[in-house]
Amino acid sequence: DQQVKQNSPSLSVQEGRISILNCDYTNSMFDYFLWYKKYPAEGPTFLISISSIKDKNEDGRFTVFLNKSAKHLSLHIVPSQPGDSAVYFCAASASAGGTSYGKLTFGQGTILTVHP
Amino acid sequence: GAGVSQSPSNKVTEKGKDVELRCDPISGHTALYWYRQSLGQGLEFLIYFQGNSAPDKSGLPSDRFSAERTGGSVSTLTIQRTQQEDSAVYLCASKSLAWETQYFGPGTRLLVL
């Protein structure tokens, strides 16, 4: 039972264009969502997050959109750069519920390749 | 300040041996998490420590896995009688009480032969 899904295993984008990475979730208790970027042989690096009380959060080239009714979030990268090439993970947590507070549930990841 | 550190960075062991993996969280972070990423898989939650509360062990895959957090800081994940399916990258993350974001270490790559 995968509660967080990234249905696109890979995405290829031209430098300068927009990259859109998508994520769907099933657990309505999730109220905090994060995107991490991961290079090979390194740990995940935090990119951007959003609370369920918002529908958009922007940080430089990165914007995360949350559609609670659809249980869907997306990460937009504009403009895309070759250095953005990495695996992107979407993650979710629920703030309520005993000792599981803050535990992250991850999607399977999307490999983004930005071509020069 | 320093980020989350983990040691060793790589560990090769023989099936049946015990291994210990160490995590040093960011100073002042009260919450500490262990995850693992098996080949071709996403990140899977293992265990969570928050202050002096009882840890959430709901993600540990078997009783061969255990973890401790001494003095509210350093944590050790122990895998007894390792099996080949334990081969994975073991990641540690920490979080402050005030913020929701978890910060990850570089991971320990475990290979069980």
Side-chain angles (χ1 to χ4, degrees), chain A residues 32 34 36 38 40-44 46 49 89 93 99-104 106-108, chain B residues 33 35 37 40-43 45 48 54 56 58 91 95 100-106 109:
Chain A
Y32 194 75
L34 309 92
Y36 286 86
K38 188 178 183 303
E42 294 184 11
F46 169 72
S49 62
F89 289 97
S93 71
T99 59
S100 295
Y101 180 76
K103 173 181 76 175
L104 292 177
F106 284 86
Q108 296 296 93
Chain B
Y33 304 78
Y35 297 86
Q37 185 179 19
Q41 303 295 313
L43 284 84
F45 167 77
Y48 154 62
D56 175 0
S58 60
L91 291 153
K95 181 179 85 71
E100 295 305 317
T101 301
Q102 295 181 26
Y103 294 91
F104 283 82
R109 282 144 202 83

mmCIF file of all heavy atoms in Angstrom, chain A residues 32 34 36 38 40-44 46 49 89 93 99-104 106-108, chain B residues 33 35 37 40-43 45 48 54 56 58 91 95 100-106 109:
data_model
loop_
_atom_site.group_PDB
_atom_site.id
_atom_site.type_symbol
_atom_site.label_atom_id
_atom_site.label_comp_id
_atom_site.label_asym_id
_atom_site.label_seq_id
_atom_site.Cartn_x
_atom_site.Cartn_y
_atom_site.Cartn_z
ATOM 1 N N TYR A 32 1.769 17.855 5.904
ATOM 2 C CA TYR A 32 3.011 18.563 5.616
ATOM 3 C C TYR A 32 3.737 17.798 4.539
ATOM 4 O O TYR A 32 3.846 16.562 4.617
ATOM 5 C CB TYR A 32 3.874 18.679 6.876
ATOM 6 C CG TYR A 32 4.995 19.677 6.756
ATOM 7 C CD1 TYR A 32 4.742 21.038 6.811
ATOM 8 C CD2 TYR A 32 6.309 19.258 6.586
ATOM 9 C CE1 TYR A 32 5.759 21.960 6.701
ATOM 10 C CE2 TYR A 32 7.333 20.175 6.480
ATOM 11 C CZ TYR A 32 7.055 21.524 6.531
ATOM 12 O OH TYR A 32 8.061 22.444 6.418
ATOM 13 N N LEU A 34 7.045 17.689 1.594
ATOM 14 C CA LEU A 34 8.394 18.163 1.330
ATOM 15 C C LEU A 34 8.891 17.582 0.012
ATOM 16 O O LEU A 34 8.475 16.506 -0.409
ATOM 17 C CB LEU A 34 9.362 17.732 2.437
ATOM 18 C CG LEU A 34 8.983 18.028 3.883
ATOM 19 C CD1 LEU A 34 8.218 16.859 4.509
ATOM 20 C CD2 LEU A 34 10.218 18.311 4.722
ATOM 21 N N TYR A 36 12.631 16.607 -1.730
ATOM 22 C CA TYR A 36 14.051 16.429 -1.535
ATOM 23 C C TYR A 36 14.692 16.106 -2.882
ATOM 24 O O TYR A 36 14.084 15.484 -3.746
ATOM 25 C CB TYR A 36 14.341 15.274 -0.573
ATOM 26 C CG TYR A 36 14.056 15.562 0.880
ATOM 27 C CD1 TYR A 36 12.776 15.369 1.408
ATOM 28 C CD2 TYR A 36 15.053 16.025 1.731
ATOM 29 C CE1 TYR A 36 12.510 15.626 2.745
ATOM 30 C CE2 TYR A 36 14.797 16.278 3.074
ATOM 31 C CZ TYR A 36 13.532 16.082 3.560
ATOM 32 O OH TYR A 36 13.271 16.333 4.887
ATOM 33 N N LYS A 38 18.191 14.331 -4.574
ATOM 34 C CA LYS A 38 19.241 13.395 -4.183
ATOM 35 C C LYS A 38 20.184 13.121 -5.343
ATOM 36 O O LYS A 38 19.744 12.699 -6.425
ATOM 37 C CB LYS A 38 18.617 12.082 -3.681
ATOM 38 C CG LYS A 38 19.635 11.122 -3.073
ATOM 39 C CD LYS A 38 18.965 9.875 -2.556
ATOM 40 C CE LYS A 38 19.977 8.942 -1.868
ATOM 41 N NZ LYS A 38 21.091 8.555 -2.750
ATOM 42 N N PRO A 40 23.553 10.834 -6.616
ATOM 43 C CA PRO A 40 24.113 9.505 -6.297
ATOM 44 C C PRO A 40 25.140 9.589 -5.175
ATOM 45 O O PRO A 40 25.917 10.544 -5.112
ATOM 46 C CB PRO A 40 24.763 9.080 -7.620
ATOM 47 C CG PRO A 40 24.034 9.837 -8.666
ATOM 48 C CD PRO A 40 23.683 11.158 -8.049
ATOM 49 N N ALA A 41 25.116 8.634 -4.296
ATOM 50 C CA ALA A 41 26.077 8.504 -3.195
ATOM 51 C C ALA A 41 25.999 9.655 -2.189
ATOM 52 O O ALA A 41 26.963 9.891 -1.441
ATOM 53 C CB ALA A 41 27.502 8.365 -3.723
ATOM 54 N N GLU A 42 24.900 10.382 -2.181
ATOM 55 C CA GLU A 42 24.706 11.427 -1.174
ATOM 56 C C GLU A 42 23.350 11.237 -0.515
ATOM 57 O O GLU A 42 22.464 10.580 -1.062
ATOM 58 C CB GLU A 42 24.772 12.822 -1.814
ATOM 59 C CG GLU A 42 26.130 13.184 -2.360
ATOM 60 C CD GLU A 42 26.161 14.610 -2.884
ATOM 61 O OE1 GLU A 42 25.201 15.372 -2.626
ATOM 62 O OE2 GLU A 42 27.148 14.955 -3.554
ATOM 63 N N GLY A 43 23.175 11.849 0.664
ATOM 64 C CA GLY A 43 21.871 11.831 1.295
ATOM 65 C C GLY A 43 20.940 12.833 0.632
ATOM 66 O O GLY A 43 21.389 13.729 -0.092
ATOM 67 N N PRO A 44 19.636 12.688 0.850
ATOM 68 C CA PRO A 44 18.677 13.643 0.286
ATOM 69 C C PRO A 44 18.907 15.046 0.832
ATOM 70 O O PRO A 44 19.199 15.207 2.018
ATOM 71 C CB PRO A 44 17.318 13.094 0.752
ATOM 72 C CG PRO A 44 17.563 11.663 1.091
ATOM 73 C CD PRO A 44 18.969 11.603 1.588
ATOM 74 N N PHE A 46 17.146 18.750 1.371
ATOM 75 C CA PHE A 46 15.855 19.411 1.419
ATOM 76 C C PHE A 46 15.792 20.544 0.398
ATOM 77 O O PHE A 46 16.721 21.337 0.268
ATOM 78 C CB PHE A 46 15.614 19.960 2.826
ATOM 79 C CG PHE A 46 14.433 20.879 2.922
ATOM 80 C CD1 PHE A 46 13.145 20.380 2.841
ATOM 81 C CD2 PHE A 46 14.611 22.247 3.077
ATOM 82 C CE1 PHE A 46 12.060 21.218 2.921
ATOM 83 C CE2 PHE A 46 13.527 23.100 3.159
ATOM 84 C CZ PHE A 46 12.248 22.588 3.079
ATOM 85 N N SER A 49 9.167 22.956 1.064
ATOM 86 C CA SER A 49 8.077 22.262 1.729
ATOM 87 C C SER A 49 6.813 23.109 1.677
ATOM 88 O O SER A 49 6.851 24.294 1.316
ATOM 89 C CB SER A 49 8.447 21.977 3.185
ATOM 90 O OG SER A 49 8.665 23.190 3.890
ATOM 91 N N PHE A 89 12.552 13.376 -4.694
ATOM 92 C CA PHE A 89 11.608 12.611 -3.875
ATOM 93 C C PHE A 89 10.585 13.548 -3.263
ATOM 94 O O PHE A 89 10.922 14.604 -2.715
ATOM 95 C CB PHE A 89 12.334 11.890 -2.740
ATOM 96 C CG PHE A 89 13.180 10.738 -3.168
ATOM 97 C CD1 PHE A 89 14.546 10.887 -3.362
ATOM 98 C CD2 PHE A 89 12.609 9.485 -3.380
ATOM 99 C CE1 PHE A 89 15.332 9.813 -3.760
ATOM 100 C CE2 PHE A 89 13.393 8.410 -3.774
ATOM 101 C CZ PHE A 89 14.751 8.580 -3.964
ATOM 102 N N SER A 93 4.153 13.954 5.754
ATOM 103 C CA SER A 93 4.064 13.567 7.162
ATOM 104 C C SER A 93 2.732 14.024 7.733
ATOM 105 O O SER A 93 2.070 14.915 7.187
ATOM 106 C CB SER A 93 5.219 14.149 7.976
ATOM 107 O OG SER A 93 5.078 15.544 8.126
ATOM 108 N N THR A 99 3.285 8.571 18.569
ATOM 109 C CA THR A 99 4.726 8.669 18.429
ATOM 110 C C THR A 99 5.171 8.664 16.974
ATOM 111 O O THR A 99 6.356 8.654 16.703
ATOM 112 C CB THR A 99 5.414 7.501 19.162
ATOM 113 O OG1 THR A 99 4.942 6.268 18.617
ATOM 114 C CG2 THR A 99 5.122 7.539 20.639
ATOM 115 N N SER A 100 4.221 8.676 16.033
ATOM 116 C CA SER A 100 4.619 8.683 14.623
ATOM 117 C C SER A 100 4.750 10.091 14.083
ATOM 118 O O SER A 100 4.950 10.274 12.898
ATOM 119 C CB SER A 100 3.590 7.912 13.788
ATOM 120 O OG SER A 100 3.576 6.567 14.154
ATOM 121 N N TYR A 101 4.643 11.070 14.959
ATOM 122 C CA TYR A 101 4.734 12.463 14.535
ATOM 123 C C TYR A 101 6.013 12.718 13.767
ATOM 124 O O TYR A 101 7.100 12.439 14.250
ATOM 125 C CB TYR A 101 4.701 13.358 15.770
ATOM 126 C CG TYR A 101 4.797 14.818 15.460
ATOM 127 C CD1 TYR A 101 3.715 15.509 14.956
ATOM 128 C CD2 TYR A 101 5.988 15.503 15.642
ATOM 129 C CE1 TYR A 101 3.798 16.857 14.664
ATOM 130 C CE2 TYR A 101 6.079 16.846 15.360
ATOM 131 C CZ TYR A 101 4.975 17.523 14.867
ATOM 132 O OH TYR A 101 5.076 18.850 14.584
ATOM 133 N N GLY A 102 5.842 13.279 12.545
ATOM 134 C CA GLY A 102 7.006 13.672 11.769
ATOM 135 C C GLY A 102 7.606 12.596 10.906
ATOM 136 O O GLY A 102 8.452 12.882 10.075
ATOM 137 N N LYS A 103 7.186 11.336 11.085
ATOM 138 C CA LYS A 103 7.727 10.279 10.229
ATOM 139 C C LYS A 103 7.380 10.597 8.782
ATOM 140 O O LYS A 103 6.245 10.911 8.465
ATOM 141 C CB LYS A 103 7.085 8.940 10.640
ATOM 142 C CG LYS A 103 7.408 7.784 9.746
ATOM 143 C CD LYS A 103 6.728 6.520 10.216
ATOM 144 C CE LYS A 103 5.261 6.496 9.900
ATOM 145 N NZ LYS A 103 4.639 5.197 10.273
ATOM 146 N N LEU A 104 8.367 10.519 7.913
ATOM 147 C CA LEU A 104 8.151 10.827 6.505
ATOM 148 C C LEU A 104 7.836 9.572 5.720
ATOM 149 O O LEU A 104 8.486 8.533 5.890
ATOM 150 C CB LEU A 104 9.382 11.502 5.903
ATOM 151 C CG LEU A 104 9.713 12.911 6.402
ATOM 152 C CD1 LEU A 104 10.996 13.404 5.760
ATOM 153 C CD2 LEU A 104 8.568 13.863 6.122
ATOM 154 N N PHE A 106 7.796 8.456 1.826
ATOM 155 C CA PHE A 106 8.376 8.927 0.574
ATOM 156 C C PHE A 106 7.739 8.280 -0.637
ATOM 157 O O PHE A 106 7.294 7.127 -0.599
ATOM 158 C CB PHE A 106 9.875 8.596 0.535
ATOM 159 C CG PHE A 106 10.720 9.500 1.385
ATOM 160 C CD1 PHE A 106 10.912 9.227 2.729
ATOM 161 C CD2 PHE A 106 11.342 10.610 0.834
ATOM 162 C CE1 PHE A 106 11.702 10.055 3.518
ATOM 163 C CE2 PHE A 106 12.139 11.437 1.617
ATOM 164 C CZ PHE A 106 12.305 11.168 2.959
ATOM 165 N N GLY A 107 7.757 9.034 -1.740
ATOM 166 C CA GLY A 107 7.459 8.447 -3.028
ATOM 167 C C GLY A 107 8.689 7.709 -3.545
ATOM 168 O O GLY A 107 9.753 7.712 -2.914
ATOM 169 N N GLN A 108 8.539 7.094 -4.709
ATOM 170 C CA GLN A 108 9.615 6.273 -5.274
ATOM 171 C C GLN A 108 10.705 7.096 -5.957
ATOM 172 O O GLN A 108 11.760 6.574 -6.283
ATOM 173 C CB GLN A 108 9.048 5.287 -6.282
ATOM 174 C CG GLN A 108 8.096 4.265 -5.674
ATOM 175 C CD GLN A 108 8.801 3.360 -4.686
ATOM 176 O OE1 GLN A 108 8.832 3.623 -3.485
ATOM 177 N NE2 GLN A 108 9.384 2.301 -5.184
ATOM 178 N N TYR B 33 15.678 10.237 13.114
ATOM 179 C CA TYR B 33 14.978 9.218 12.329
ATOM 180 C C TYR B 33 16.013 8.356 11.597
ATOM 181 O O TYR B 33 17.038 8.849 11.136
ATOM 182 C CB TYR B 33 14.087 9.864 11.259
ATOM 183 C CG TYR B 33 13.081 10.851 11.781
ATOM 184 C CD1 TYR B 33 13.459 12.137 12.122
ATOM 185 C CD2 TYR B 33 11.739 10.493 11.918
ATOM 186 C CE1 TYR B 33 12.535 13.058 12.602
ATOM 187 C CE2 TYR B 33 10.806 11.412 12.381
ATOM 188 C CZ TYR B 33 11.212 12.680 12.717
ATOM 189 O OH TYR B 33 10.296 13.595 13.188
ATOM 190 N N TYR B 35 16.085 5.793 8.216
ATOM 191 C CA TYR B 35 15.408 5.296 7.019
ATOM 192 C C TYR B 35 16.395 4.384 6.283
ATOM 193 O O TYR B 35 17.600 4.423 6.542
ATOM 194 C CB TYR B 35 15.039 6.444 6.071
ATOM 195 C CG TYR B 35 14.062 7.449 6.630
ATOM 196 C CD1 TYR B 35 14.506 8.523 7.391
ATOM 197 C CD2 TYR B 35 12.694 7.339 6.378
ATOM 198 C CE1 TYR B 35 13.606 9.463 7.903
ATOM 199 C CE2 TYR B 35 11.796 8.275 6.873
ATOM 200 C CZ TYR B 35 12.260 9.335 7.629
ATOM 201 O OH TYR B 35 11.376 10.256 8.120
ATOM 202 N N GLN B 37 17.184 2.858 2.106
ATOM 203 C CA GLN B 37 16.826 2.820 0.698
ATOM 204 C C GLN B 37 17.484 1.598 0.084
ATOM 205 O O GLN B 37 18.708 1.566 -0.089
ATOM 206 C CB GLN B 37 17.268 4.090 -0.025
ATOM 207 C CG GLN B 37 16.807 4.126 -1.475
ATOM 208 C CD GLN B 37 17.212 5.393 -2.186
ATOM 209 O OE1 GLN B 37 18.099 6.116 -1.772
ATOM 210 N NE2 GLN B 37 16.532 5.680 -3.290
ATOM 211 N N GLY B 40 16.806 0.374 -6.011
ATOM 212 C CA GLY B 40 15.625 0.564 -6.832
ATOM 213 C C GLY B 40 14.361 0.896 -6.070
ATOM 214 O O GLY B 40 13.275 0.931 -6.656
ATOM 215 N N GLN B 41 14.490 1.145 -4.771
ATOM 216 C CA GLN B 41 13.321 1.427 -3.938
ATOM 217 C C GLN B 41 13.358 2.853 -3.418
ATOM 218 O O GLN B 41 14.378 3.529 -3.463
ATOM 219 C CB GLN B 41 13.274 0.461 -2.740
ATOM 220 C CG GLN B 41 13.259 -1.000 -3.118
ATOM 221 C CD GLN B 41 11.996 -1.376 -3.856
ATOM 222 O OE1 GLN B 41 10.895 -1.027 -3.447
ATOM 223 N NE2 GLN B 41 12.149 -2.070 -4.959
ATOM 224 N N GLY B 42 12.228 3.288 -2.914
ATOM 225 C CA GLY B 42 12.171 4.584 -2.251
ATOM 226 C C GLY B 42 12.719 4.479 -0.840
ATOM 227 O O GLY B 42 13.194 3.428 -0.412
ATOM 228 N N LEU B 43 12.666 5.582 -0.116
ATOM 229 C CA LEU B 43 13.142 5.591 1.262
ATOM 230 C C LEU B 43 12.066 5.026 2.184
ATOM 231 O O LEU B 43 10.905 5.419 2.122
ATOM 232 C CB LEU B 43 13.497 7.008 1.699
ATOM 233 C CG LEU B 43 14.811 7.549 1.148
ATOM 234 C CD1 LEU B 43 14.636 8.117 -0.227
ATOM 235 C CD2 LEU B 43 15.372 8.608 2.097
ATOM 236 N N PHE B 45 10.890 4.209 6.138
ATOM 237 C CA PHE B 45 11.057 4.571 7.542
ATOM 238 C C PHE B 45 11.391 3.342 8.380
ATOM 239 O O PHE B 45 10.800 2.278 8.198
ATOM 240 C CB PHE B 45 9.767 5.212 8.054
ATOM 241 C CG PHE B 45 9.694 5.351 9.547
ATOM 242 C CD1 PHE B 45 10.390 6.342 10.210
ATOM 243 C CD2 PHE B 45 8.915 4.472 10.294
ATOM 244 C CE1 PHE B 45 10.311 6.462 11.590
ATOM 245 C CE2 PHE B 45 8.826 4.586 11.675
ATOM 246 C CZ PHE B 45 9.521 5.576 12.318
ATOM 247 N N TYR B 48 12.104 6.065 14.935
ATOM 248 C CA TYR B 48 12.084 7.489 15.236
ATOM 249 C C TYR B 48 12.256 7.694 16.737
ATOM 250 O O TYR B 48 11.633 6.999 17.541
ATOM 251 C CB TYR B 48 10.746 8.053 14.758
ATOM 252 C CG TYR B 48 10.222 9.285 15.440
ATOM 253 C CD1 TYR B 48 10.916 10.473 15.394
ATOM 254 C CD2 TYR B 48 8.993 9.258 16.102
ATOM 255 C CE1 TYR B 48 10.410 11.621 15.992
ATOM 256 C CE2 TYR B 48 8.485 10.396 16.704
ATOM 257 C CZ TYR B 48 9.191 11.580 16.644
ATOM 258 O OH TYR B 48 8.696 12.707 17.226
ATOM 259 N N ALA B 54 9.254 7.214 24.316
ATOM 260 C CA ALA B 54 9.528 5.883 23.768
ATOM 261 C C ALA B 54 9.649 5.985 22.256
ATOM 262 O O ALA B 54 8.861 6.676 21.601
ATOM 263 C CB ALA B 54 8.402 4.926 24.148
ATOM 264 N N ASP B 56 9.432 5.230 18.267
ATOM 265 C CA ASP B 56 8.482 4.579 17.352
ATOM 266 C C ASP B 56 9.268 3.586 16.514
ATOM 267 O O ASP B 56 9.999 3.968 15.609
ATOM 268 C CB ASP B 56 7.820 5.636 16.476
ATOM 269 C CG ASP B 56 6.913 5.041 15.403
ATOM 270 O OD1 ASP B 56 6.785 3.800 15.340
ATOM 271 O OD2 ASP B 56 6.340 5.810 14.630
ATOM 272 N N SER B 58 7.963 1.202 14.625
ATOM 273 C CA SER B 58 7.011 0.524 13.749
ATOM 274 C C SER B 58 7.570 0.147 12.385
ATOM 275 O O SER B 58 7.023 -0.717 11.708
ATOM 276 C CB SER B 58 5.767 1.400 13.567
ATOM 277 O OG SER B 58 6.110 2.638 12.984
ATOM 278 N N LEU B 91 19.989 5.696 6.032
ATOM 279 C CA LEU B 91 20.025 7.144 6.159
ATOM 280 C C LEU B 91 19.476 7.578 7.507
ATOM 281 O O LEU B 91 18.472 7.048 7.986
ATOM 282 C CB LEU B 91 19.193 7.792 5.049
ATOM 283 C CG LEU B 91 19.791 7.642 3.641
ATOM 284 C CD1 LEU B 91 18.701 7.673 2.591
ATOM 285 C CD2 LEU B 91 20.809 8.742 3.385
ATOM 286 N N LYS B 95 15.723 16.547 13.209
ATOM 287 C CA LYS B 95 14.759 17.647 13.092
ATOM 288 C C LYS B 95 14.681 18.374 14.427
ATOM 289 O O LYS B 95 14.736 17.741 15.483
ATOM 290 C CB LYS B 95 13.394 17.059 12.729
ATOM 291 C CG LYS B 95 12.283 18.061 12.539
ATOM 292 C CD LYS B 95 10.976 17.370 12.151
ATOM 293 C CE LYS B 95 10.187 16.867 13.350
ATOM 294 N NZ LYS B 95 9.599 17.958 14.128
ATOM 295 N N GLU B 100 9.422 21.514 10.869
ATOM 296 C CA GLU B 100 9.017 20.209 10.355
ATOM 297 C C GLU B 100 10.050 19.546 9.467
ATOM 298 O O GLU B 100 9.963 18.376 9.177
ATOM 299 C CB GLU B 100 7.705 20.348 9.570
ATOM 300 C CG GLU B 100 6.522 20.770 10.413
ATOM 301 C CD GLU B 100 6.341 19.824 11.575
ATOM 302 O OE1 GLU B 100 6.443 18.604 11.380
ATOM 303 O OE2 GLU B 100 6.113 20.313 12.703
ATOM 304 N N THR B 101 11.024 20.302 9.000
ATOM 305 C CA THR B 101 11.941 19.775 7.996
ATOM 306 C C THR B 101 12.975 18.849 8.612
ATOM 307 O O THR B 101 13.637 19.196 9.593
ATOM 308 C CB THR B 101 12.644 20.926 7.274
ATOM 309 O OG1 THR B 101 11.648 21.756 6.659
ATOM 310 C CG2 THR B 101 13.589 20.401 6.216
ATOM 311 N N GLN B 102 13.129 17.691 8.007
ATOM 312 C CA GLN B 102 14.170 16.750 8.416
ATOM 313 C C GLN B 102 15.390 16.934 7.516
ATOM 314 O O GLN B 102 15.261 17.075 6.301
ATOM 315 C CB GLN B 102 13.665 15.306 8.296
ATOM 316 C CG GLN B 102 12.532 15.007 9.258
ATOM 317 C CD GLN B 102 12.048 13.580 9.162
ATOM 318 O OE1 GLN B 102 12.785 12.669 8.775
ATOM 319 N NE2 GLN B 102 10.790 13.366 9.502
ATOM 320 N N TYR B 103 16.554 16.901 8.135
ATOM 321 C CA TYR B 103 17.817 17.046 7.423
ATOM 322 C C TYR B 103 18.562 15.724 7.489
ATOM 323 O O TYR B 103 18.740 15.156 8.577
ATOM 324 C CB TYR B 103 18.645 18.185 8.016
ATOM 325 C CG TYR B 103 17.983 19.525 7.808
ATOM 326 C CD1 TYR B 103 17.115 20.039 8.770
ATOM 327 C CD2 TYR B 103 18.176 20.238 6.631
ATOM 328 C CE1 TYR B 103 16.468 21.251 8.561
ATOM 329 C CE2 TYR B 103 17.536 21.459 6.424
ATOM 330 C CZ TYR B 103 16.678 21.952 7.388
ATOM 331 O OH TYR B 103 16.029 23.141 7.178
ATOM 332 N N PHE B 104 19.004 15.282 6.323
ATOM 333 C CA PHE B 104 19.585 13.954 6.200
ATOM 334 C C PHE B 104 21.100 13.968 6.209
ATOM 335 O O PHE B 104 21.745 14.908 5.750
ATOM 336 C CB PHE B 104 19.115 13.291 4.895
ATOM 337 C CG PHE B 104 17.718 12.766 4.959
ATOM 338 C CD1 PHE B 104 16.632 13.603 4.774
ATOM 339 C CD2 PHE B 104 17.486 11.419 5.210
ATOM 340 C CE1 PHE B 104 15.342 13.114 4.843
ATOM 341 C CE2 PHE B 104 16.192 10.922 5.277
ATOM 342 C CZ PHE B 104 15.119 11.773 5.093
ATOM 343 N N GLY B 105 21.657 12.870 6.706
ATOM 344 C CA GLY B 105 23.084 12.627 6.585
ATOM 345 C C GLY B 105 23.399 11.992 5.244
ATOM 346 O O GLY B 105 22.489 11.724 4.451
ATOM 347 N N PRO B 106 24.682 11.710 4.994
ATOM 348 C CA PRO B 106 25.090 11.158 3.692
ATOM 349 C C PRO B 106 24.773 9.683 3.538
ATOM 350 O O PRO B 106 24.831 9.152 2.426
ATOM 351 C CB PRO B 106 26.605 11.389 3.676
ATOM 352 C CG PRO B 106 26.986 11.415 5.114
ATOM 353 C CD PRO B 106 25.832 12.022 5.847
ATOM 354 N N ARG B 109 26.376 2.975 3.260
ATOM 355 C CA ARG B 109 26.082 1.958 2.264
ATOM 356 C C ARG B 109 26.508 0.607 2.806
ATOM 357 O O ARG B 109 27.691 0.368 2.988
ATOM 358 C CB ARG B 109 26.794 2.282 0.952
ATOM 359 C CG ARG B 109 26.092 3.362 0.180
ATOM 360 C CD ARG B 109 27.030 4.293 -0.569
ATOM 361 N NE ARG B 109 26.342 5.551 -0.840
ATOM 362 C CZ ARG B 109 26.241 6.556 0.025
ATOM 363 N NH1 ARG B 109 26.825 6.487 1.207
ATOM 364 N NH2 ARG B 109 25.559 7.631 -0.290
#
